[in-house]
Amino acid sequence: MIRGKVRRSQLVAPFGPGAMQVLADGTSVITAGLDHWFVPGERLDQEEFRIREWRLESHLGVDALYTPPDYRDNYKTSPDQYNTRLQVPVLRFPAWSFCPRCRALTPQPLHIAERPRCTNPDCSGQKASWAPFLAQVPFVGLCERGHLQDFPWHEWVHRSASPSCRSPKLKLRTSGGGTLASQRVVCETCHKERGLEGITSVERSSQEDGQETTYLTAHLEDGAEFPCCGGMPWLGLETGGETCGEPLRGSLRGASNVYYALVKSSIFIPETSSNEVDPRVLEALEEQTIARARANVRDVLDDGDVLTASRLRRAAKKNAFRLESFTDEQIEAALAILESPAEASPRLTTETVEDRALFRHQEYTSIRDTIDSTELVVREPEGDYTQDIGELVSRVRLVEKLRETRVLWGFNRIFAESSSRDTATRTALLRRDAAEDDESWLPAYTVLGEGIYLELSPEALNTWENADSVKDRLIPMAQQFHSVAQERHLAQREVTPRLVLLHTLAHLLINQLTFECGYSSASLRERLYVSPGRDGMNGLLVYTAAGDSEGTLGGLVRMGQSERFEEVLRNAITNARWCSSDPVCMDSHGQGPDSCNLAACHSCALLPETACEEFNRFLDRGLVAGTLDDPVMGFFSSFG
């Protein structure tokens, strides 16, 4: 059977439902929908994989979050072990394959479990085992709504949406070149052939509206359009029953635009009511065996009945010893929090900038103050900062422990960021049948880490961002992003001096911390808290969330102490004043991804994409440390 191994976190991104990957034997597969991730059975206990994150559950409108299952062999576990031999199913896709010897094109079932061989007698000879294995075609068709299908080989070579050729025998020939023009489809039955040149191209529609279309849709058949058929092979649907109406675009199956995971992340913050409860009680009640006992009692309770401490102790049986050190009053106070509905959180309908800021504000109000809980520990650094830092930086916090949860809630194709018109439908692409009440869930995983929180002075920031020179400098960046957003179907947003300043400062600090405390830039991440207005958010969190299940070792928090962080910040600002690519970098009017950066390049301010929230856009050292023509423009021009 076709089998492969992948890390559990990779089943959230980048290999979640609807994503293709190549296994060790060369087979290309697509991850199946969530309907078949946890198959009900006698030895299934799905609660073992439950992640408690009340804000994300409310925000995404689901009842639970679960980590992808891990595989456990029966012979390595005890007879009464739960959750053995759980697997995440995949389907073989693309379904069309060709013989590397005779070049014959043939379709295969999505659910085929063996590597197929060529059935042409000229290839197999006297023994079927002598026939070569079929190779999957390198091309697929996709549309902007997230659909995916096999490339329309029959229709393309016959130049018709309804070919009249009976018993077609297709072959994929190549002239040996490295372009699409060297690939040709031939039908040996009717002797028609056609090259693949242009199948990945985009063009303007010939109709009056002038909307964007694709070469494949516009030119497959003369005088008629060939739209996407709505295929969802990861759900077992090769066609959607009816066309979705979007232009169909050809693509290499391994192209980067075939799948973009939509991941929502959250720093866990305790519910307000849980601050008065001993965190050790909450931790004990959320332990795997006790959580299972809570679920069992909850299933048999009548409406209106309350889960009491005595009922929980009886249900826990041999694991009741985990609750012996707590009184019934402590347990019931904690149960009141865990069993009560979560506080309201902004629901995800369309992922707009305003929604993101509202969701982040809950974290912002917690992380800027001191807190001590089982999942989040924030402390104030010891010692005082010098006067020049105090005038620009109003708050520094040491996040000694944090838990970040990352949830896959959908995916895009063609464009990394979806247009606002259909963002809310992305979650529906993850499963074939809508989840029943109280059974909706999404795949997620958690990581533990630490970080440094930094907040700028509101008074100094308000004076600086209202200066005419600062506003004028951002005009080219804002205009470029506006044009890119229109071209790539992105949601429009305001590019503010506050956003660019905090974003660039986060990148500079991460680059400096890689030299100071030994973390690689790929293991550090930024988290921006930005909203307009004098009382708006103006903070940033630099954190590491790439550690193991026990978290990290405290090196980043140690750098946040006053005597060390002051030196890190000074060095970061000093290094920002000159780049090895200056004066070209500083005088740039547009560079980097989508040309949405000013003075920022790989030599000074860019980071690995895993570390950046904005795809390495909206960066400018000039707003941080000043420019060559105006050295006092930067917010930190007088610092360092």
Side-chain angles (χ1 to χ4, degrees):
M1 295 183 63
I2 299 174
R3 294 180 180 271
K5 296 181 180 180
V6 67
R7 292 201 305 269
R8 299 168 71 187
S9 62
Q10 289 183 317
L11 289 170
V12 174
F15 299 133
M20 289 188 291
Q21 59 179 304
V22 179
L23 303 182
D25 65 355
T27 302
S28 174
V29 296
I30 189 167
T31 307
L34 300 180
D35 309 70
H36 301 287
W37 277 35
F38 293 99
V39 179
E42 294 181 0
R43 313 305 296 176
L44 175 65
D45 180 16
Q46 197 168 336
E47 283 298 310
E48 177 183 348
F49 305 102
R50 180 77 180 268
I51 296 175
R52 305 286 176 174
E53 177 44 275
W54 61 278
R55 290 198 311 131
L56 276 177
E57 291 173 2
S58 175
H59 184 62
L60 297 172
V62 295
D63 299 302
L65 305 175
Y66 294 106
T67 59
D70 58 332
Y71 184 78
R72 307 167 190 173
D73 281 321
N74 281 337
Y75 69 88
K76 294 181 180 179
T77 59
S78 58
D80 59 345
Q81 178 67 46
Y82 284 80
N83 300 326
T84 58
R85 305 185 69 83
L86 293 179
Q87 303 176 61
V88 174
V90 295
L91 298 168
R92 187 179 183 273
F93 186 82
W96 280 80
S97 303
F98 68 95
C99 174
R101 184 179 301 171
C102 68
R103 309 299 294 182
L105 269 171
T106 55
Q108 304 292 332
L110 289 173
H111 59 271
I112 189 171
E114 304 288 343
R115 293 184 64 190
R117 294 178 182 269
C118 182
T119 57
N120 189 336
D122 296 335
C123 289
S124 59
Q126 297 179 353
K127 292 185 178 180
S129 59
W130 291 356
F133 287 109
L134 297 182
Q136 289 163 281
V137 295
F139 306 106
V140 295
L142 64 159
C143 82
E144 191 180 340
R145 288 190 178 178
H147 298 135
L148 185 68
Q149 67 181 67
D150 276 288
F151 185 81
W153 301 102
H154 279 302
E155 295 82 354
W156 179 256
V157 69
H158 294 106
R159 300 177 183 269
S160 173
S162 302
S164 59
C165 179
R166 296 182 178 181
S167 302
K169 295 181 179 180
L170 304 186
K171 289 194 174 183
L172 180 62
R173 301 189 184 279
T174 178
S175 60
T179 64
L180 290 175
S182 65
Q183 305 285 327
R184 302 191 65 79
V185 190
V186 179
C187 178
E188 293 187 335
T189 302
C190 61
H191 305 292
K192 289 185 178 181
E193 62 178 84
R194 190 175 186 182
L196 299 181
E197 185 177 9
I199 63 172
T200 62
S201 303
V202 179
E203 60 182 36
R204 289 292 173 184
S205 173
S206 59
Q207 300 179 3
E208 295 182 358
D209 56 12
Q211 293 292 323
E212 187 179 88
T213 186
T214 63
Y215 184 89
L216 182 57
T217 289
H219 298 285
L220 182 140
E221 180 178 2
D222 294 335
E225 289 194 343
F226 184 80
C228 170
C229 71
M232 293 180 281
W234 64 97
L235 303 180
L237 301 174
E238 297 187 59
T239 63
E242 58 183 18
T243 60
C244 78
E246 287 290 320
L248 181 66
R249 180 184 301 200
S251 174
L252 289 169
R253 74 180 190 215
S256 60
N257 67 345
V258 171
Y259 188 87
Y260 294 104
L262 294 175
V263 178
K264 187 75 177 180
S265 68
S266 172
I267 304 296
F268 180 84
I269 58 175
E271 298 176 70
T272 305
S273 56
S274 66
N275 291 335
E276 300 176 358
V277 177
D278 190 336
R280 296 175 302 166
V281 185
L282 292 172
E283 185 175 5
L285 293 179
E286 291 184 331
E287 194 272 334
Q288 176 183 326
T289 56
I290 302 300
R292 186 184 303 148
R294 285 169 45 208
N296 293 337
V297 176
R298 196 184 307 114
D299 291 339
V300 299
L301 286 178
D302 297 328
D303 294 339
D305 288 348
V306 178
L307 176 57
T308 61
S310 58
R311 283 174 171 168
L312 180 59
R313 292 183 194 273
R314 289 196 299 270
K317 298 180 181 178
K318 63 181 180 180
N319 295 302
F321 71 92
R322 299 180 184 276
L323 305 175
E324 289 180 353
S325 56
F326 309 117
T327 65
D328 287 357
E329 290 76 13
Q330 289 177 308
I331 294 174
E332 289 175 356
L335 285 172
I337 295 171
L338 295 176
E339 301 294 324
S340 63
E343 296 181 17
S345 183
R347 293 292 293 272
L348 179 63
T349 53
T350 56
E351 183 69 350
T352 63
V353 177
E354 290 75 16
D355 291 334
R356 214 161 39 235
L358 185 59
F359 185 76
R360 289 279 174 92
H361 192 270
Q362 295 175 312
E363 296 177 14
Y364 174 76
T365 55
S366 296
I367 207 169
R368 66 197 304 260
D369 293 321
T370 59
I371 187 172
D372 189 355
S373 68
T374 56
E375 305 288 356
L376 180 64
V377 178
V378 183
R379 305 194 188 282
E380 188 173 352
E382 300 177 358
D384 297 326
Y385 295 96
T386 57
Q387 181 178 357
D388 53 349
I389 289 184
E391 293 175 350
L392 301 176
V393 179
S394 62
R395 194 183 305 257
V396 177
R397 292 290 182 265
L398 307 180
V399 185
E400 296 184 357
K401 182 180 181 181
L402 63 84
R403 189 192 80 184
E404 183 188 23
T405 304
R406 301 170 189 167
V407 183
L408 175 72
W409 61 272
F411 59 85
N412 292 328
R413 302 198 193 276
I414 301 178
F415 300 111
E417 301 172 66
S418 65
S419 57
S420 58
R421 60 181 175 176
D422 59 356
T423 301
T425 66
R426 298 300 176 176
T427 304
L429 295 173
L430 298 179
R431 57 176 68 245
R432 180 166 179 166
D433 300 316
E436 298 180 2
D437 294 340
D438 301 327
E439 292 186 3
S440 61
W441 64 275
L442 290 173
Y445 70 98
T446 62
V447 287
L448 301 179
E450 58 178 305
I452 303 173
Y453 173 79
L454 173 68
E455 189 175 311
L456 302 181
S457 169
E459 295 78 12
L461 183 61
N462 184 66
T463 302
W464 172 82
E465 63 184 354
N466 287 317
D468 292 336
S469 59
V470 173
K471 295 179 180 179
D472 293 343
R473 180 166 174 81
L474 284 187
I475 291 177
M477 182 188 295
Q479 292 176 340
Q480 176 61 23
F481 177 73
H482 178 73
S483 62
V484 168
Q486 288 184 320
E487 178 183 349
R488 299 182 56 193
H489 306 262
L490 306 181
Q492 293 287 350
R493 59 184 300 184
E494 184 181 4
V495 182
T496 63
R498 180 178 302 196
L499 169 64
V500 177
L501 171 63
L502 286 167
H503 189 207
T504 310
L505 179 60
H507 279 227
L508 296 175
L509 284 174
I510 289 175
N511 281 331
Q512 188 62 37
L513 286 167
T514 60
F515 296 105
E516 301 283 352
C517 63
Y519 284 107
S520 68
S521 57
S523 65
L524 298 179
R525 298 169 67 95
E526 67 178 4
R527 197 167 184 85
L528 304 178
Y529 300 93
V530 181
S531 61
R534 185 180 184 87
D535 298 327
M537 296 186 292
N538 63 332
L540 64 91
L541 173 67
V542 174
Y543 67 104
T544 173
D548 60 13
S549 60
E550 298 300 325
T552 50
L553 300 177
L556 189 58
V557 167
R558 188 177 180 86
M559 298 308 300
Q561 295 292 350
S562 57
E563 68 276 5
R564 292 185 175 88
F565 184 72
E566 182 173 342
E567 182 180 358
V568 170
L569 183 59
R570 288 186 188 278
N571 291 338
I573 301 303
T574 300
N575 294 335
R577 292 193 169 97
W578 185 257
C579 167
S580 60
S581 298
D582 279 342
V584 176
C585 178
M586 183 61 77
D587 292 338
S588 172
H589 295 285
Q591 60 177 323
D594 300 322
S595 297
C596 287
N597 293 332
L598 295 178
C601 67
H602 284 286
S603 300
C604 57
L606 298 190
L607 291 177
E609 288 192 2
T610 55
C612 179
E613 290 189 325
E614 300 289 351
F615 302 98
N616 271 322
R617 295 190 302 239
F618 314 132
L619 298 169
D620 179 27
R621 289 182 295 117
L623 294 187
V624 176
T627 65
L628 300 177
D629 296 331
D630 189 357
V632 298
M633 177 193 297
F635 182 81
F636 289 93
S637 292
S638 60
F639 180 76

